[in-house]
Amino acid sequence: MTSAAITSLIHHLKSGQRYTQNLPIGSSDALLLGQLAQALAGKKHHLTVILCEHAQDAQRLQAEISYFAPQLSTMQLPDWETLPYDRFSPHHDLVSERLQTLYSLTQKQVDVLIVPVSTALYRLSPPDFLLARTFSFKQNEVLDVQQLREQLVNAGYQSVNQVIAPGEFAFRGGLIDLFPMGSVLPFRLDLFGDTVESIKTFDVDSQRTIYPVPKVQLLPGREYPTDETARGVFRNAWRERFEGDASKHALYKDVANGIFNAGIEYYLPLFFDRTATIFDYISSDATIVLHGLAQTTIRSFWTDTQQRHAFLKGDNTSPVLSPEELFINDEEFFAHVNSFAQLALRPKINDEATEQVLAQSTAALPDVRVNTRHDAPYAALSLLCQRNERDKVPTIILAESLGRQTTLSEALSRHGIHVKTVEAWAEISTLTAPHVYISHAPLERGFSFDDGTQRLCLITETELYAANQGTRARRRSEKTSNVDMMIASLSELRIGDQVVHHDHGIGRDQVFMNMDMGDGDTEFLH
C-alpha cells in the first residue's frame, strides 16, 4: 500500500470504533499489517495487537511481518498447546516464550503483538507478579550465592546436574549455569570469590562457551508463584472453592509440599487474589486488529470447554475450577476489545457500502502450478513471466530457504526461465525493471501487488508446487525426526526433465544433492 493509503486507513481507526475491511489476498495481509504497524510505531511508541482466528495464522504472521518489517519488534503470545483441564503442563519452551512476551509488554518493548483469539481468552498472572519476580545481575557484581539459589528456587527454577532447558540451574563450585526463561541460550557465571568475574553463553549440547555478555536477566520460572506465601494463598483458595477434606486431595498436599504437578496451570487463579487478561498488558492507546472471524472461534472454544468441564466436574477426587474462573467469555472479550481502535480483516464483508481502502491493492495469482506430466512443466509460470514482462511488472519467485533458492534457480534455468538474485524485502520493494527475480522468504502465499506507484508479482513455492500446501506450517512445528521420517521427507524427485512432488514435511535447512542416474539427474533431499 502507498503511504497515502496507510494514512487513510489510520484516519479511519478511532478509539472505541471498529473499521472493517476485506481480508487481503495471500500473504499480503502481513504486508499490510507490517506497513500499518510501522506507520503507527513511527509516530510514537504504539502497540499493534493482532488477534487471529487461527493459531496457524499467528505463527505465519509473525514470520511474515518480521520479513516485511524487520525493524519492528514482533512477538507472539503462543498457546499452551494443551486442552482445558488437561493433566499436562505446557512445554517449557512455550512457557519461556510466553513469559518473555509478557515481560516485554510491561517494558513497552513490543511493536506488534500476535495472539490467537483462543489464547487471548485465558486468564493470566497479573503484571506485578512478573515485575516483582524479575531480577538481574551483571559482570563484576558481588553475588550472594546462597541468596541467588533461594531466589531461583522461589522463582520456580529447577536445580539439575546439567542445564539443558529454560527454567533450570546448576551450581558447580565457582561456576553457575543458568537457563533463564525467555532466553535463547543459557549462561555460565564464573565466580572469583563472591564476584562475578565473567558471564558467557554456552551450548547445551557441547557445553562449550560461545560469547561473553555483560548482564543476565532472570524472569520467573513459571507463570505462577511457587514460594511459601503463594502456596499458602493456594491452600486457602482451595478450601474456599472446594468442599470436603482438602488433605485428601493429592494436588492440594503436593502444592503444600512444594510439588507442582502437570496440569497445575488450570488452577492458576488459586495462586492469586486477582488474575489478569492479556488486555491488562496492553496500553490503552494500542490498535487492535481482528484477523478473521474471532467470534466463531470463541464460541467453538467455549462449547468445547463447557463440555469438558461438565464431564470432569463430577470427579470429586480431582475437583476442577469453573470455565468462568479460567477464561473470559465472548462478552468480556469484546467488552475489552471495543475500548480500543479496531481494524477488522474479515473474509467477507456484508456491508457493501463500506469504503475499501485495500480494494485494488492486491490480487490473487493465476494457476502457475508445475505440471509434471507435461513436456514443459513450467509452461504456466513461463507464460505469466512473459506477460508480466510485457506489462512491465517485476516477477519475484520466493523459495523457502537459501538452499531451496539455489535448487529452484537451477531447475528454472534448465527450463528456459533465467532469474536474477535479489536479497531482502527492502531491495525487492524498490524493483522496477520487469525481469524475473529469485529470493527466499518465509511467505506461504504469493500475490500480485499494485498500489498505483509500485507493481510486483510475488510467487511462492506454494503456487508452484500446490500439492505441498500446508507443508510450511508443519515444518515449523516439527521438533524430532527418525529414519522413517527422513525417508518420507523425499520432497522432490526429478527424473530427466520431470519433477515429482510428495506431500511430506521437510526441515527448512536441509540440503539437496544431485546424483547422476545415467538417463538424467535425480535430486534427492537429505
Side-chain angles (χ1 to χ4, degrees):
M1 294 178 65
T2 61
S3 58
I6 289 291
T7 302
S8 175
L9 182 58
I10 293 175
H11 174 74
H12 287 84
L13 300 178
K14 299 178 181 178
S15 181
Q17 297 183 21
R18 181 178 304 166
Y19 182 66
T20 304
Q21 290 276 280
N22 284 321
L23 190 63
I25 296 294
S27 294
S28 64
D29 56 352
L31 174 60
L32 162 70
L33 294 172
Q35 292 177 329
L36 174 64
Q38 191 172 343
L40 291 171
K43 293 183 175 182
K44 55 179 179 178
H45 180 81
H46 189 100
L47 176 64
T48 301
V49 181
I50 305 171
L51 300 172
C52 299
E53 177 184 358
H54 303 294
Q56 297 93 326
D57 282 326
Q59 295 178 354
R60 174 181 66 83
L61 286 172
Q62 183 181 18
E64 294 180 350
I65 291 174
S66 296
Y67 172 74
F68 287 123
Q71 66 275 32
L72 295 177
S73 172
T74 303
M75 304 186 76
Q76 181 188 172
L77 183 69
D79 194 77
W80 278 344
E81 296 185 2
T82 60
L83 294 173
Y85 304 110
D86 264 354
R87 299 302 187 197
F88 304 100
S89 285
H91 193 277
H92 47 69
D93 286 343
L94 291 173
V95 176
S96 177
E97 184 179 353
R98 285 170 59 88
L99 287 168
Q100 182 60 61
T101 297
L102 293 173
Y103 180 76
S104 297
L105 286 170
T106 66
Q107 303 302 300
K108 300 189 181 300
Q109 296 171 346
V110 185
D111 297 314
V112 181
L113 173 66
I114 306 173
V115 188
V117 167
S118 56
T119 305
L121 302 179
Y122 281 64
R123 298 190 185 276
L124 305 171
S125 52
D128 56 11
F129 160 75
L130 276 178
L131 296 173
R133 287 168 173 78
T134 298
F135 57 98
S136 63
F137 47 83
K138 55 189 177 181
Q139 188 177 0
N140 298 323
E141 184 176 316
V142 176
L143 196 65
D144 187 325
V145 176
Q146 184 57 37
Q147 183 181 14
L148 175 61
R149 183 190 292 272
E150 292 175 1
Q151 281 182 302
L152 290 169
V153 171
N154 289 334
Y157 282 73
Q158 183 179 3
S159 177
V160 296
N161 292 326
Q162 182 173 312
V163 170
I164 60 172
E168 296 179 344
F169 71 91
F171 283 64
R172 297 181 286 114
L175 293 177
I176 302 174
D177 288 350
L178 297 169
F179 204 147
M181 302 299 282
S183 176
V184 177
L185 292 170
F187 299 92
R188 177 164 293 152
L189 282 64
D190 191 352
L191 302 182
F192 182 75
D194 293 334
T195 304
V196 180
E197 188 173 47
S198 68
I199 305 173
K200 297 179 181 178
T201 61
F202 68 90
D203 180 77
V204 294
D205 296 320
S206 67
Q207 293 290 303
R208 293 182 177 179
T209 57
I210 303 175
Y211 55 83
V213 294
K215 182 179 178 181
V216 173
Q217 177 182 272
L218 288 164
L219 296 173
R222 303 172 192 258
E223 293 188 52
Y224 52 86
T226 59
D227 54 34
E228 180 59 39
T229 301
R231 298 201 296 271
V233 171
F234 178 94
R235 295 196 301 272
N236 291 335
W238 179 288
R239 291 192 296 267
E240 289 177 2
R241 295 250 196 333
F242 305 123
E243 297 179 355
D245 186 357
S247 63
K248 293 182 178 180
H249 297 285
L251 182 64
Y252 176 90
K253 291 188 292 185
D254 285 341
V255 171
N257 293 322
I259 301 170
F260 301 92
N261 296 319
I264 190 68
E265 289 78 12
Y266 289 102
Y267 295 89
L268 183 142
L270 302 187
F271 288 97
F272 301 101
D273 296 329
R274 180 188 66 85
T275 55
T277 70
I278 187 59
F279 300 101
D280 291 305
Y281 287 85
I282 298 172
S283 56
S284 59
D285 63 346
T287 296
I288 299 284
V289 177
L290 297 171
H291 187 281
L293 303 176
Q295 196 158 19
T296 302
T297 299
I298 294 173
R299 287 173 179 172
S300 176
F301 176 88
W302 267 91
T303 298
D304 293 342
T305 300
Q306 288 171 330
Q307 289 176 349
R308 290 177 64 83
H309 178 260
F311 178 77
L312 294 169
K313 68 178 182 179
D315 184 3
N316 293 326
T317 61
S318 298
V320 293
L321 296 176
S322 68
E324 291 76 15
E325 291 180 280
L326 293 170
F327 314 102
I328 60 175
N329 57 31
D330 58 346
E331 185 177 341
E332 293 176 275
F333 175 85
F334 285 107
H336 285 296
V337 167
N338 289 340
S339 64
F340 296 90
Q342 306 153 60
L343 170 63
L345 298 178
R346 295 178 177 172
K348 183 179 179 180
I349 297 175
N350 295 324
D351 184 6
E352 299 295 339
T354 302
E355 179 187 353
Q356 293 299 302
V357 172
L358 318 178
Q360 304 300 323
S361 295
T362 59
L365 298 174
D367 187 351
V368 293
R369 283 177 293 181
V370 173
N371 186 348
T372 59
R373 299 182 180 182
H374 197 279
D375 291 338
Y378 290 89
L381 175 63
S382 179
L383 186 63
L384 177 61
C385 292
Q386 292 171 18
R387 190 178 72 187
N388 285 341
E389 185 174 1
R390 186 171 59 250
D391 295 339
K392 302 187 183 307
V393 178
T395 303
I396 301 92
I397 299 172
L398 298 171
E400 294 185 0
S401 65
L402 184 58
R404 284 292 300 143
Q405 176 183 325
T406 301
T407 303
L408 185 56
S409 179
E410 293 172 355
L412 293 171
S413 179
R414 285 194 297 268
H415 292 278
I417 302 175
H418 301 287
V419 298
K420 296 183 178 182
T421 301
V422 288
E423 299 300 329
W425 173 250
E427 181 181 356
I428 293 172
S429 62
T430 60
L431 294 175
T432 56
H435 300 304
V436 181
Y437 303 88
I438 193 166
S439 187
H440 60 279
L443 303 191
E444 288 194 6
R445 293 284 183 177
F447 54 93
S448 63
F449 177 81
D450 182 0
D451 64 1
T453 61
Q454 177 74 36
R455 301 175 71 188
L456 295 174
C457 179
L458 303 177
I459 304 170
T460 71
E461 289 193 76
T462 304
E463 283 76 48
L464 294 179
Y465 309 116
N468 281 344
Q469 291 179 11
T471 299
R472 290 174 183 263
R474 291 197 300 275
R475 292 178 189 177
R476 278 197 294 268
S477 63
E478 289 173 353
K479 301 291 185 182
T480 60
S481 64
N482 55 36
V483 174
D484 292 337
M485 290 174 64
M486 292 172 68
I487 294 173
S489 69
L490 180 59
S491 161
E492 184 175 288
L493 178 61
R494 190 182 66 80
I495 302 177
D497 286 327
Q498 285 201 336
V499 179
V500 179
H501 278 265
H502 300 273
D503 188 15
H504 296 296
I506 307 149
R508 295 178 62 85
D509 299 321
Q510 292 164 324
V511 182
F512 282 83
M513 297 180 65
N514 294 331
M515 299 179 64
D516 187 357
M517 302 299 291
D519 59 343
D521 295 331
T522 304
E523 295 174 357
F524 286 97
L525 183 63
H526 296 270

